[in-house]
């Protein structure tokens, strides 16, 4: 399968792209994980959006948040793999591409994330280190992690 990567600011997103991104985020984070949280959090407008697709279907997506919005450092958030494409290492490709994009834009700077606790080892494989105690974020255990 040939992957096509997209990286766009909020204003560059087409209505169809925005709809597909929000639908995937709601399908997984709200419906699948049964977590009722404010998906529309006023960060999308300031962020860039990175995703890969095949034949118009989003495979994996992440939001790249500039410094000063979520954390003092740039951040990667809303990391998601479409359920029908899980198990094919697309999440790993996405996180590495996200790190590279942040380094291209901001230089080699620390990157912070709020990770679901069960993904600590996954993010650790990219050099992220736990930076907080565990906390509940809308009922789901999370930890802050930073890539120095």
């Amino acid at each position: 399968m040939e992957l096509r990567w997209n990286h766009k600011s909020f204003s560059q997103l087409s209505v169809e792209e925005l709809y597909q991104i929000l639908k995937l985020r709601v399908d997984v984070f709200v419906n699948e994980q049964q977590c009722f949280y404010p998906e529309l959090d006023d960060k999308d407008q300031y962020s860039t959006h990175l995703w890969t697709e095949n034949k118009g279907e989003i495979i994996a997506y992440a939001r790249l948040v500039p410094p000063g919005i979520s954390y003092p450092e740039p951040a990667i958030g809303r990391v998601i793999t479409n359920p029908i494409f899980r198990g094919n290492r697309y999440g790993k490709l996405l996180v590495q591409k996200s790190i590279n994009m942040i380094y291209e834009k901001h230089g080699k700077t620390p990157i912070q994330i709020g990770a679901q606790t069960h993904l600590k080892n996954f993010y650790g494989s990219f050099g992220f280190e736990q930076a907080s105690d565990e906390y509940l974020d809308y009922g789901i255990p999370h930890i802050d992690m930073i890539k120095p």
Side-chain angles (χ1 to χ4, degrees):
M1 173 169 34
E2 184 178 332
L3 299 179
R4 192 179 108 212
W5 288 95
N6 300 283
H7 182 233
K8 296 185 178 186
S9 69
F10 184 78
S11 63
Q12 292 172 322
L13 293 172
S14 71
V15 172
E16 179 66 26
E17 290 167 335
L18 179 60
Y19 177 83
Q20 289 178 356
I21 288 166
L22 293 176
K23 182 178 185 323
L24 180 61
R25 287 175 13 185
V26 168
D27 284 350
V28 172
F29 296 131
V30 176
N31 295 330
E32 179 183 310
Q33 296 181 1
Q34 297 187 351
C35 182
F36 302 102
Y37 73 104
E39 172 55 33
L40 301 177
D41 60 1
D42 294 318
K43 295 180 185 179
D44 286 313
Q45 302 92 314
Y46 305 103
S47 302
T48 59
H49 304 269
L50 176 66
W51 74 97
T52 188
E53 61 183 60
N54 181 264
K55 298 179 183 174
E57 186 159 21
I58 295 176
I59 295 170
Y61 164 87
R63 179 170 73 177
L64 309 183
V65 184
I69 303 292
S70 294
Y71 305 102
E73 302 82 12
I76 303 168
R78 300 295 199 263
V79 176
I80 189 168
T81 300
N82 187 321
I84 63 175
F85 294 104
R86 289 184 186 150
N88 294 299
R89 303 181 53 85
Y90 297 124
K92 284 189 165 285
L93 291 172
L94 174 67
V95 171
Q96 189 58 61
K97 185 95 169 160
S98 297
I99 292 166
N100 294 345
M101 298 296 290
I102 287 174
Y103 286 170
E104 283 178 28
K105 181 167 183 154
H106 300 286
K108 190 152 182 353
T109 182
I111 301 170
Q112 187 155 348
I113 60 173
Q116 291 184 12
T117 304
H118 75 275
L119 294 170
K120 178 181 176 179
N121 291 336
F122 172 77
Y123 289 112
S125 71
F126 296 96
F128 285 91
E129 302 168 355
Q130 186 169 340
S132 76
D133 291 332
E134 184 177 270
Y135 58 91
L136 290 179
D137 189 11
Y138 291 92
I140 296 179
H142 277 71
I143 53 172
D144 288 337
M145 298 185 80
I146 194 157
K147 180 175 173 57

